[in-house]
Amino acid sequence: MIMQKIQYEYAPGHFRASEPNLRRPETLAEGEMILNMGPQHPSTHGVLRLEVVTDGEIIVDVVPHVGYLHRCFEKHAQSLPFNQTIPFVDRLDYLAAMNCEHAFVMGVEKMLGIQNDIPKRTEYIRVLVAELNRIAAHFVGIGTYALDIGAYTPFLWLMRDREHIQRMLEWLSGARMLYNYIWVGGLFYDLPVGFEERCREFVTYLRPKLLELQQLVIENVIFVKRTANVGVLPLNVAINYGCTGPMLRGSGLRYDLRRVDGYSVYPELDFDVPIGEGKMGAVGDCWDRNYVRVQECHESIRIIEQCLDKLIGPHKRTRDYDPQAVVPKKIRPKAMDFYARAESAKGELGFFFRTDGRSDVPVRCKARSCCFHNLSVISEITRGAMLADLVAVIGSIDVVMGEVDR
């Protein structure tokens, strides 16, 4: 009886307080209406809901709503030792788990002061697997984007080629997507015997496939018409919103943490940083962002080849190489506030740590999600566009909701 009374008296007020839309019907101008897109997969790239205010076919405002896929990463990280958090790091951007692990592990190593003790072979293997994973992540981004705007064949081709990378990383770590391979102080295991040769064969196979991809998608007349001059992100807006990765470089700024911070062995490698140039439309449009991703796949191949040269040359496998030689038994950094970052497939992935100097569990671990910042700019680049272009803009951002709603 008491429960029925509480529900009767308080539920209506709670419903009003938890109204899921930011805009109210009474605030709309004449002719405007509110549409809800999502949350559904794959149309909104996972569990993303967009509150769209339209005036006919014209977009007035877009409000992204997140909270449907909460990973609880930061709560996990504050409840577990550093080394046990790595499997949860994998689940942020699960399409580029190696890149996520690399960023997290480097931050912990710098707090411990062991970053200069990591063997060069270990560093080159880390970069090798991170770049393989970057290509795989871009293939999903480009393939699903083509699918979003009506092209099915590119998606199948890219999933076919991504499968080769998945199989190699499974051979390496035992898992297809969530690897737990890069450890604090080292690696789970050395490369399997024959991995370097198999990887070289794959690179030789993939290079002409990227040229096919460019002809099939990027230079396709229909693709160009659907993406050029659509969702233009001006450089100053990208900077003010904290956009990074292909979103920022697509707007014309040559900013890549692999060059800016020069972490791991990237300073020893030769590669370019592609940017959007407005070849088919305005600088920073949907076409530019996808063009940058394709060009980054070419650069990742260059990096992979250089890593392979090092791994079969100066830093080849030897009997005395132990990938876990520097792995600490107990990870207990000094009391500090520390921020570490790296260039993930989608931009700057950073981790803020607060430690007390006594425990191997951080007091605070905050993930700086590049996808969260990139998604937040959607209202700026869709305002005034046609409703049909909204899906094209969402796909060009290439968000992973596991990282947005962490």
Side-chain angles (χ1 to χ4, degrees):
M1 190 67 181
I2 295 175
M3 285 298 296
Q4 290 177 352
K5 185 177 181 182
I6 291 174
Q7 289 176 356
Y8 176 78
E9 288 182 356
Y10 295 104
H14 286 173
F15 284 142
R16 284 194 296 271
S18 62
E19 185 70 29
N21 287 341
L22 183 68
R23 300 286 290 266
R24 296 287 183 269
E26 57 270 18
T27 65
L28 299 178
E30 185 177 354
E32 293 181 353
M33 62 179 176
I34 300 175
L35 297 177
N36 280 295
M37 289 184 60
Q40 59 208 23
H41 185 78
S43 300
T44 52
H45 286 247
V47 281
L48 168 67
R49 182 172 75 88
L50 296 175
E51 175 189 341
V52 187
V53 180
T54 66
D55 183 0
E57 289 291 317
I58 304 299
I59 295 172
V60 177
D61 194 18
V62 175
V63 182
H65 290 268
V66 299
Y68 301 91
L69 180 74
H70 195 49
R71 288 293 192 196
C72 295
F73 165 77
E74 293 170 8
K75 190 64 177 176
H76 283 309
Q78 289 154 208
S79 307
L80 294 168
F82 289 97
N83 58 328
Q84 294 182 26
T85 304
I86 295 173
F88 297 100
V89 177
D90 285 334
R91 287 159 172 80
L92 293 175
D93 182 357
Y94 42 81
L95 297 175
M98 289 292 190
N99 294 273
C100 299
E101 291 177 14
H102 200 189
F104 182 85
V105 162
M106 284 193 303
V108 179
E109 288 169 353
K110 288 176 182 177
M111 286 194 296
L112 293 173
I114 62 173
Q115 69 274 18
N116 296 324
D117 301 332
I118 310 300
K120 274 300 181 71
R121 179 171 174 83
T122 298
E123 292 283 16
Y124 277 108
I125 292 174
R126 287 179 174 183
V127 172
L128 172 68
V129 297
E131 294 304 319
L132 283 170
N133 215 179
R134 190 185 309 275
I135 295 174
H138 282 340
F139 277 6
V140 174
I142 300 165
T144 54
Y145 187 57
L147 198 63
D148 286 343
I149 58 180
Y152 196 63
T153 302
F155 175 76
L156 296 178
W157 284 19
L158 287 167
M159 291 303 102
R160 173 200 65 194
D161 295 336
R162 175 176 174 266
E163 184 66 21
H164 296 301
I165 300 177
Q166 298 295 95
R167 287 178 178 176
M168 283 196 295
L169 295 179
E170 183 181 14
W171 183 26
L172 177 76
S173 66
R176 283 177 54 84
M177 288 184 68
L178 309 171
Y179 307 108
N180 190 17
Y181 179 71
I182 301 177
W183 285 7
V184 177
L187 302 166
F188 163 63
Y189 202 70
D190 194 4
L191 296 178
V193 176
F195 187 89
E196 297 93 328
E197 290 75 14
R198 180 79 64 84
C199 194
R200 185 82 72 178
E201 291 173 5
F202 169 71
V203 167
T204 304
Y205 158 84
L206 186 62
R207 184 170 275 114
K209 298 298 181 184
L210 287 180
L211 297 177
E212 288 182 2
L213 169 66
Q214 190 145 339
Q215 295 169 353
L216 180 69
V217 180
I218 300 300
E219 297 172 2
N220 185 290
V221 175
I222 299 173
F223 184 85
V224 171
K225 288 184 177 180
R226 283 291 282 118
T227 57
N229 295 310
V230 173
V232 177
L233 175 60
L235 181 57
N236 63 324
V237 175
I239 294 172
N240 290 336
Y241 271 81
C243 296
T244 52
M247 285 285 288
L248 179 62
R249 292 190 287 275
S251 296
L253 183 62
R254 208 177 296 275
Y255 182 87
D256 190 313
L257 293 179
R258 294 173 293 176
R259 281 279 184 238
V260 174
D261 287 358
Y263 59 88
S264 191
V265 290
Y266 282 110
E268 303 174 21
L269 302 171
D270 179 32
F271 64 96
D272 297 325
V273 179
I275 59 171
E277 302 170 7
K279 289 183 177 180
M280 297 295 178
V283 175
D285 58 13
C286 292
W287 189 89
D288 265 353
R289 289 191 279 277
N290 281 274
Y291 169 77
V292 166
R293 291 186 182 102
V294 173
Q295 295 307 309
E296 284 188 5
C297 290
H298 286 285
E299 298 306 317
S300 290
I301 285 180
R302 289 178 60 190
I303 294 173
I304 289 168
E305 287 180 326
Q306 293 172 70
C307 289
L308 291 173
D309 291 339
K310 297 290 186 180
L311 291 171
I312 62 177
H315 306 293
K316 63 183 179 181
R317 70 177 73 240
T318 57
R319 289 185 178 274
D320 59 348
Y321 170 68
D322 181 4
Q324 299 182 19
V326 195
V327 175
K329 295 293 185 285
K330 194 78 167 178
I331 302 173
R332 191 173 293 151
K334 297 178 181 177
M336 66 177 83
D337 287 354
F338 190 81
Y339 179 73
R341 62 182 186 174
E343 187 71 32
S344 181
K346 296 169 180 61
E348 177 183 331
L349 176 63
F351 294 96
F352 168 79
F353 300 98
R354 174 168 290 171
T355 57
D356 58 10
R358 299 186 302 273
S359 173
D360 61 345
V361 178
V363 176
R364 180 80 171 97
C365 180
K366 167 77 168 64
R368 190 271 184 201
S369 164
C370 42
C371 288
F372 183 86
H373 286 264
N374 293 346
L375 178 63
S376 66
V377 80
I378 189 171
S379 60
E380 293 287 342
I381 60 179
T382 54
R383 199 171 290 124
M386 301 293 289
L387 185 60
D389 290 331
L390 180 55
V391 172
V393 176
I394 297 169
S396 74
I397 297 174
D398 188 21
V399 292
V400 166
M401 294 308 295
E403 189 181 288
V404 174
D405 186 24
R406 59 208 176 281

